[in-house]
Amino acid sequence: MAARRRKNVHPIDTRSLREAAARLRRGELVAFPTETVYGLGANALDEKAVAKIFAAKGRPSDNPIIVHVSDRRMLRRVVKSVPAAAEALMRKFWPGPLTLVLSKRSSVPSLVTAGLSTVAVRMPEGIARDLVRLAGVPIAAPSANVSGRPSPTTAAHVAEDFPDVFVLDGGPTAHGVESTVVALEPRLVILRQGAVTEEQLRKILPRVRGAGAPRRTRRGAPAPPASPGTKYTHYAPTRPLILFLRESSLVAYAKAHPKALVLCPTGLSFLFPKQRILALGDTPKEIAHGLFAALRTRRRGSELLALAVPRRGLGRTIMDRLERAATRIV
Ligand code: TXA
Ligand code: MG
């Protein structure tokens, strides 16, 4: 797409990877694809470099950042110890879309962890891991979007938000939703639902549970935050989004609002013969993959209408993102 022609977007090859690693070592920002979403990275051990992330994103300083490592040796540079439960999860899910909150070493600047005694760490898979390995330093990287916007799943999304940052273009990301964040102390809890499901985690640690209440109840009352980042409004779409809990209310609303754009499972498209449709696929995996791009859509349409999915497996993650993106839930 257009992003290819942008000067700051670079297809991935040996040269661009080396340049990205050199930039990270020099204390500059680099955006790169992970298996979940694109990240905006900086050397996690360089406070000045990390400060650039907060400035570029307009990120509140009380929202800590995930540190990406390429191997266990690098992990030991940032965390004090690895409890047995964390070890079991790492064996199963690393490299991959699982972030663990562990006690931090003093080498990690408190800016990265927003003053907490813990640090969130993950070992990504593929290009992101190659880049961290090449850089030779742990990389702090939140999602590469301006704070409050949907996470980027293509290089073009990143370039939209950051026209001047060096971006490695690895095509659309595999999962399309962020990593699952799990805390181990003081109790074992899922702080953010993500690409690894609760069910998958329970096969390894049967006692693991979600943090509980979603950010907003149906009546709109705020629930207490589970993880610093989860209290902020997130994923603001390009226009108002209404989330429908029942198919029948979506169908009725759509009939009365023919200019609205319906985000719906492909299999339900037939319900909206006169409507603009943005088909998301049918399986939870397909829906998760296309969800953030749909929230950034530039297609015509007055508002976005979305339908709830069952809250199991990846459906829990999809619902979490839809609820945060929604202007209204009916
Ligand atoms: O898939 C992902 O996780 C992507 C890619 C780039 O790795 N990153 C990402 O980062 O989604 P970000 O900053 O958008 O979300 C990180 C989440 C936030 O909710 C933040 O509050 C939480 O992790 N977090 C970070 N450090 C934490 C800590 N020490 N304790 C509790 N929560 C933490
Ligand atoms: Mg984010």
Side-chain angles (χ1 to χ4, degrees):
M1 263 193 37
R4 283 263 174 216
R5 292 193 295 274
R6 292 199 197 227
K7 278 210 301 259
N8 64 320
V9 176
H10 305 267
I12 294 176
D13 53 30
T14 318
R15 216 175 115 221
S16 62
L17 263 179
R18 286 217 180 106
E19 175 167 358
R23 282 173 180 263
L24 288 167
R25 279 195 302 272
R26 285 204 298 270
E28 293 174 25
L29 300 184
V30 166
F32 58 94
T34 80
E35 70 276 57
T36 57
V37 300
Y38 277 70
L40 182 63
N43 177 353
L45 305 180
D46 176 346
E47 185 151 20
K48 276 196 191 139
V50 174
K52 292 179 188 171
I53 297 178
F54 283 93
K57 280 185 62 105
R59 187 176 177 99
S61 60
D62 64 350
N63 192 3
I65 299 179
I66 296 172
V67 173
H68 300 68
V69 298
S70 56
D71 52 57
R72 293 298 191 100
R73 201 154 57 140
M74 198 181 271
L75 174 71
R76 287 195 295 272
R77 285 167 71 182
V78 296
V79 306
K80 273 197 185 139
S81 58
V82 176
E87 181 63 41
L89 293 176
M90 287 175 189
R91 277 214 188 120
K92 174 73 183 172
F93 297 107
W94 278 15
L98 179 69
T99 296
L100 299 171
V101 176
L102 299 171
S103 57
K104 87 170 190 79
R105 272 190 194 281
S106 56
S107 59
V108 181
S110 65
L111 187 63
V112 173
T113 62
L116 298 173
S117 60
T118 54
V119 60
V121 281
R122 88 175 182 100
M123 188 188 289
E125 196 171 13
I127 287 293
R129 187 180 181 193
D130 296 342
L131 177 63
V132 179
R133 192 187 286 122
L134 262 179
V137 287
I139 299 297
S143 49
N145 52 279
V146 165
S147 266
R149 301 207 69 206
S151 297
T153 55
T154 67
H157 297 160
V158 181
E160 242 169 60
D161 285 14
F162 303 108
D164 299 321
V165 170
F166 186 99
V167 186
L168 286 174
D169 186 352
T173 58
H175 294 282
V177 289
E178 303 90 337
S179 65
T180 303
V181 181
V182 173
L184 293 121
E185 289 155 21
R187 69 192 175 103
L188 179 64
V189 63
I190 300 170
L191 296 179
R192 178 178 72 182
Q193 301 285 349
V196 173
T197 66
E198 220 171 288
E199 289 82 349
Q200 284 176 298
L201 291 171
R202 255 187 237 131
K203 280 192 189 151
I204 308 295
L205 300 177
R207 283 182 17 254
V208 74
R209 288 288 175 277
R215 190 179 60 91
R216 264 184 314 196
T217 64
R218 214 177 143 178
R219 286 175 302 285
S227 178
T230 61
K231 74 182 179 211
Y232 296 104
T233 316
H234 256 84
Y235 310 115
T238 44
R239 75 208 73 172
L241 178 136
I242 310 177
L243 172 60
F244 292 85
L245 300 179
R246 285 200 317 265
E247 193 180 298
S248 56
S249 30
L250 167 59
V251 172
Y253 189 96
K255 254 198 192 134
H257 299 80
K259 288 193 175 142
L261 178 60
V262 186
L263 307 186
C264 77
T266 311
L268 293 183
S269 305
F270 74 94
L271 291 171
F272 309 98
K274 296 195 174 144
Q275 206 86 27
R276 296 189 182 110
I277 300 274
L278 214 165
L280 288 174
D282 285 307
T283 64
K285 224 176 152 39
E286 287 167 342
I287 295 173
H289 186 260
L291 184 61
F292 289 150
L295 297 182
R296 284 180 179 256
T297 182
R298 297 203 181 282
R299 278 184 53 190
R300 285 199 298 152
S302 51
E303 17 178 20
L304 292 174
L305 312 181
L307 182 59
V309 299
R311 285 178 207 267
R312 54 171 183 270
L314 256 189
R316 267 191 270 263
T317 305
I318 294 167
M319 281 304 284
D320 172 84
R321 305 307 189 262
L322 281 173
E323 283 172 339
R324 288 170 198 286
T327 326
R328 205 144 64 81
I329 304 174
V330 292

